[in-house]
């Protein structure tokens, strides 16, 4: 199991996004500011900045963790074009169009807090 932590503006909105659109399941949601989701061997920890608990607390200089950035999780899909069409039909926002790469094709989907999720389809056999 690999764990990734994402900071989100609203945990309930993030739970709906990841479960309804990307096939995650809720493993734990003990507080409004935290949830643990999973998909296969990926555990996704969702926290709100400053929402209590250890991960959301301010740094010694006062900075709070925040959503967004460019680091991301990658989810493999079998048919990227169909996934993009389905997710666009649901009104979701992408950062770019499908990029054709050496080992596969990819696109960046933003979650409701602006965290990127890379959808990837391998072109290798």
């Amino acid at each position: 199991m690999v764990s990734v932590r994402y900071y989100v503006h609203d945990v309930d909105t993030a739970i709906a996004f990841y479960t309804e659109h990307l096939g995650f399941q809720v493993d734990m949601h003990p507080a409004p500011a935290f949830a643990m989701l999973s998909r296969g061997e990926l555990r996704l920890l969702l926290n709100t900045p400053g929402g209590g608990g250890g991960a959301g607390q301010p740094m010694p200089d006062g900075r709070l963790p925040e959503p967004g950035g460019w680091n991301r999780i990658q989810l493999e899909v079998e048919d990227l074009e169909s996934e993009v069409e389905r997710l666009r039909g649901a009104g979701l926002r992408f950062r770019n169009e499908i990029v054709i790469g050496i080992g596969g094709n990819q696109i960046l989907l933003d979650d409701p807090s602006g965290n990127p999720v890379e959808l990837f389809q391998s072109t290798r056999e």
Side-chain angles (χ1 to χ4, degrees), residues 28-103:
M28 181 189 316
H29 186 27
F34 175 76
M36 181 187 302
L37 311 181
S38 64
R39 177 180 164 174
E41 296 298 314
L42 173 61
R43 178 183 297 132
L44 184 59
L45 308 172
L46 302 171
N47 286 86
T48 58
Q57 293 186 15
M59 298 293 108
D61 65 4
R63 288 181 297 151
L64 280 175
E66 61 183 303
W70 289 96
N71 294 323
R72 58 198 182 245
I73 58 174
Q74 180 190 76
L75 302 178
E76 280 201 46
V77 298
E78 290 189 25
D79 185 343
L80 184 59
E81 289 183 12
S82 294
E83 271 302 291
V84 169
E85 185 177 316
R86 179 182 72 80
L87 296 169
R88 278 201 171 118
L92 303 184
R93 190 182 76 176
F94 290 86
R95 288 189 181 187
N96 60 344
E97 297 299 322
I98 293 175
V99 174
I100 308 301
I102 296 169

